[in-house]
Amino acid sequence: IKDKNKYSELFNKPSMERFVSPYIKEIFFIDKVLFVEGIDDYERIKDRLISQNFVFYNCDIIPIGGIDNNKLERLKFICENFGVDYKFLLDFDYVYKNKNLKNRIIEFFRRKNIDSEIVEILKKQEQEDKEKFKNWWDQNFENFFDEIKKLVNQDIILAPWFDIKDIKNKKIYEKHLDN
């Protein structure tokens, strides 16, 4: 372990109990991993790859049961210390959970003169407004998504859907996964 202090900070006992998942142990037996938020993401993406004859050799997709920054940091730490290449495929609602990314997107929307009501909804982050933003996003994401992806850390793949269970337009899902 390269950084023992960081290890102690990330893996203290009380928070570790919430972190352990039956899938996490797979990390130690593969060379590459795609982390996804939940079982729905895992099933849809794995089915899509299998239908395209993708061969899972020394790689896997692992659902991590939701997302928070501590969990991301822990998984990055494990992968980096054990030489595993990794990416996170996160639903667009991750923007609501990451203050720095949310602020970069708000600034981007302001520069693009996006409807100020939409910017305020994203800024306030009220649960009742989330549906309004989600509807706006579903209608407008193709205009901005490629540029927004550039605002995200390189180890995160931001999906255009808010939550994979909410996908109404299958073309959105298929087009994104094909990339």
Side-chain angles (χ1 to χ4, degrees):
I1 294 174
K2 298 173 191 170
D3 185 344
K4 292 185 193 285
N5 289 334
K6 181 145 181 133
Y7 174 83
S8 297
E9 176 188 321
L10 288 173
F11 296 98
N12 64 56
K13 188 168 175 24
S15 62
M16 262 315 279
E17 291 169 4
R18 292 187 305 269
F19 173 68
V20 176
S21 149
Y23 300 99
I24 300 299
K25 65 181 183 259
E26 296 298 318
I27 296 172
F28 302 107
F29 305 102
I30 54 180
D31 295 326
K32 294 180 182 183
V33 62
L34 175 65
F35 294 109
V36 296
E37 290 188 51
I39 294 294
D40 291 322
D41 303 272
Y42 170 80
E43 288 172 351
R44 284 204 181 176
I45 292 165
K46 195 150 193 170
D47 288 348
R48 176 84 173 155
L49 291 172
I50 289 169
S51 75
Q52 295 177 337
N53 298 318
F54 183 82
V55 177
F56 290 90
Y57 179 75
N58 279 343
C59 64
D60 206 352
I61 300 169
I62 297 178
I64 56 176
I67 208 69
D68 66 53
N69 287 331
N70 285 333
K71 192 178 290 185
L72 289 178
E73 289 303 312
R74 288 179 183 132
L75 292 168
K76 286 179 188 180
F77 185 87
I78 291 169
C79 289
E80 289 168 358
N81 277 278
F82 286 91
V84 177
D85 290 334
Y86 63 94
K87 292 278 186 197
F88 296 92
L89 175 62
L90 305 177
D91 301 336
F92 194 80
D93 67 351
Y94 171 68
V95 169
Y96 271 79
K97 299 170 186 167
N98 184 302
K99 187 177 181 178
N100 291 333
L101 177 58
K102 184 176 78 168
N103 289 338
R104 288 192 303 257
I105 290 174
I106 287 170
E107 186 57 37
F108 168 78
F109 280 173
R110 284 190 177 133
R111 283 195 315 270
K112 294 288 184 181
N113 295 316
I114 302 300
D115 180 356
S116 60
E117 180 185 14
I118 296 301
V119 172
E120 284 304 309
I121 286 172
L122 187 57
K123 198 161 114 180
K124 287 191 313 186
Q125 197 171 335
E126 299 291 331
Q127 193 61 36
E128 63 269 8
D129 290 335
K130 195 173 181 182
E131 195 64 34
K132 193 183 287 187
F133 182 82
K134 192 160 101 174
N135 290 334
W136 177 86
W137 180 250
D138 286 346
Q139 295 169 12
N140 294 284
F141 86 93
E142 289 195 60
N143 300 327
F144 310 108
F145 189 63
D146 286 337
E147 291 180 72
I148 286 176
K149 284 193 301 189
K150 295 174 188 169
L151 300 174
V152 180
N153 294 341
Q154 64 187 25
D155 54 358
I156 293 175
I157 303 165
L158 190 62
W161 51 79
F162 240 78
D163 186 318
I164 202 162
K165 292 179 282 192
D166 294 341
I167 295 174
K168 296 173 187 129
N169 182 344
K170 282 215 178 238
K171 288 181 185 172
I172 292 171
Y173 165 72
E174 290 173 356
K175 178 181 173 188
H176 185 71
L177 288 183
D178 286 343
N179 293 334

